[in-house]
Amino acid sequence: MQKIGPHFIVIGAQRSGTTWLHRVLSQHDKLWLTPVKELHYFDKQSIKLGVLNKYERHRARFWSWKRAAIDPRWFGRYWFLPRGDEWYAKLFRRARARGKITGEITPAYAAMSDQKWVQIHSLFPDVRLIFVMRDPIIRTWSALRNNMKKGRIDPFSSVEDLIELSLKPSIASRSDYLHAIQMVESKFGADQLHCCFFEQLIAEPTVFADSIFKFLGVNPLGEELVVPAAVNSAAGGDQPPLALQRALAKEYLPMTDQLADRFGGIPREWATKYRKLLG
């Protein structure tokens, strides 16, 4: 049985409010989340020592040594010890010893292979998993705009080029919610996966947060919750080009129909919108 390691992992989706969720869950005195959001352990296991890796050194700029002073032993283990399954599990050990319910958030996990999920199940068979979904068209557009901001995509790309980029596995896999759900449930079972929706996060943040607190077995904060002001509500505040919306509606309508059959509500609204785009 699970002795060390996380009690829960938020597995995505990318651009679906996981930074907001990290801030919210960190408010609860019964919960502990890793000081560094997005450990990227299971999806980047080629990294053997964080301090020597260019990718991790870049991420270090977002987690200042001033913050590291809060828990220098944790940051020392995170940056300077060789990475492996034992290294990952021990990142949660001290917090668990204090009686905390521990977790991490890495949205990239939702797009991992079956082999990675077998590994996670073998290590932590009792772990609880949280999956936040967002309108696939808007999520994709948010990802594109974020990549433009970071210089990975030409901001003056044609709509045709953006459609082609959107359908590449590196982006499209992160909107394949049905595949992610089926992958996880085939290993852990439906009772260990909590599925929720970004649109509720925006409309009813307290209700959204309290449903996750209940899933994790802690008392909801209710009106005591301090709702963070900054939310990834849109990609620059604008709408995707109509041609891009229609191309993605055609791509994702079959999936949203299946999600609507299972969850109703918000996925049904996605499917209705997609049919109008294609009508």
Side-chain angles (χ1 to χ4, degrees):
M1 298 298 288
Q2 183 175 335
K3 300 297 184 184
I4 53 177
H7 292 93
F8 69 93
I9 305 174
V10 180
I11 64 172
Q14 182 196 59
R15 312 301 297 170
S16 298
T18 56
T19 298
W20 181 94
L21 186 56
H22 188 277
R23 294 170 183 167
V24 164
L25 295 181
S26 296
Q27 295 180 34
H28 204 293
D29 63 358
K30 300 295 184 183
L31 303 180
W32 179 90
L33 283 89
T34 55
V36 173
K37 177 181 176 281
E38 302 191 28
L39 297 186
H40 282 290
Y41 172 61
F42 293 104
D43 65 309
K44 294 185 181 293
Q45 292 190 319
S46 60
I47 299 176
K48 300 304 181 185
L49 193 66
V51 73
L52 298 181
N53 182 269
K54 182 179 179 181
Y55 169 81
E56 280 296 318
R57 287 201 304 273
H58 174 75
R59 275 160 51 80
R61 283 186 267 171
F62 298 96
W63 309 99
S64 68
W65 290 111
K66 182 178 180 180
R67 185 169 184 178
I70 299 173
D71 194 347
R73 291 178 61 184
W74 189 93
F75 275 87
R77 179 178 292 112
Y78 179 79
W79 291 116
F80 298 108
L81 292 185
R83 297 191 170 198
D85 292 345
E86 184 176 357
W87 167 87
Y88 176 82
K90 285 184 177 180
L91 293 176
F92 305 89
R93 183 176 61 181
R94 293 180 67 201
R96 289 182 67 113
R98 299 197 305 270
K100 301 290 186 178
I101 296 174
T102 64
E104 71 129 323
I105 298 177
T106 303
Y109 291 167
M112 291 191 305
S113 67
D114 181 83
Q115 181 181 4
K116 296 296 184 182
W117 283 109
V118 169
Q119 179 187 6
I120 294 174
H121 184 266
S122 69
L123 293 170
F124 315 117
D126 299 323
V127 72
R128 289 179 170 252
L129 302 157
I130 299 167
F131 189 32
V132 188
M133 292 171 274
R134 182 182 189 179
D135 180 331
I137 293 177
I138 303 303
R139 194 220 68 79
T140 300
W141 179 235
S142 181
L144 290 172
R145 289 298 300 270
N146 188 51
N147 282 322
M148 292 177 191
K149 180 180 178 181
K150 294 180 178 179
R152 298 169 183 165
I153 294 177
D154 182 354
F156 301 104
S157 297
S158 67
V159 175
E160 291 75 18
D161 287 342
L162 291 176
I163 291 172
E164 183 179 354
L165 285 169
S166 298
L167 298 178
K168 287 186 174 181
S170 58
I171 292 181
S173 63
R174 296 176 182 267
S175 291
D176 194 351
Y177 307 146
L178 190 63
H179 177 75
I181 291 171
Q182 291 171 344
M183 182 85 69
V184 170
E185 290 186 344
S186 70
K187 308 297 182 298
F188 293 92
D191 60 334
Q192 286 178 246
L193 176 65
H194 178 75
C195 293
C196 46
F197 299 94
F198 178 85
E199 288 79 1
Q200 187 188 38
L201 182 159
I202 297 298
E204 302 176 299
T206 301
V207 175
F208 176 90
D210 284 351
S211 70
I212 294 177
F213 289 137
K214 290 177 182 178
F215 175 71
L216 296 177
V218 298
N219 293 328
L221 292 181
E223 294 181 357
E224 295 180 7
L225 176 69
V226 179
V227 178
V231 177
N232 174 28
S233 57
D238 56 359
Q239 288 294 310
L242 185 57
L244 176 62
Q245 292 190 56
R246 287 173 173 162
L248 295 180
K250 182 179 180 180
E251 177 73 15
Y252 291 120
L253 180 56
M255 178 189 73
T256 56
D257 276 338
Q258 293 184 67
L259 292 172
D261 287 341
R262 173 166 174 174
F263 298 106
I266 291 170
R268 184 169 291 126
E269 293 173 5
W270 301 342
T272 299
K273 182 178 76 172
Y274 295 178
R275 283 192 166 81
K276 289 180 180 179
L277 285 167
L278 297 172

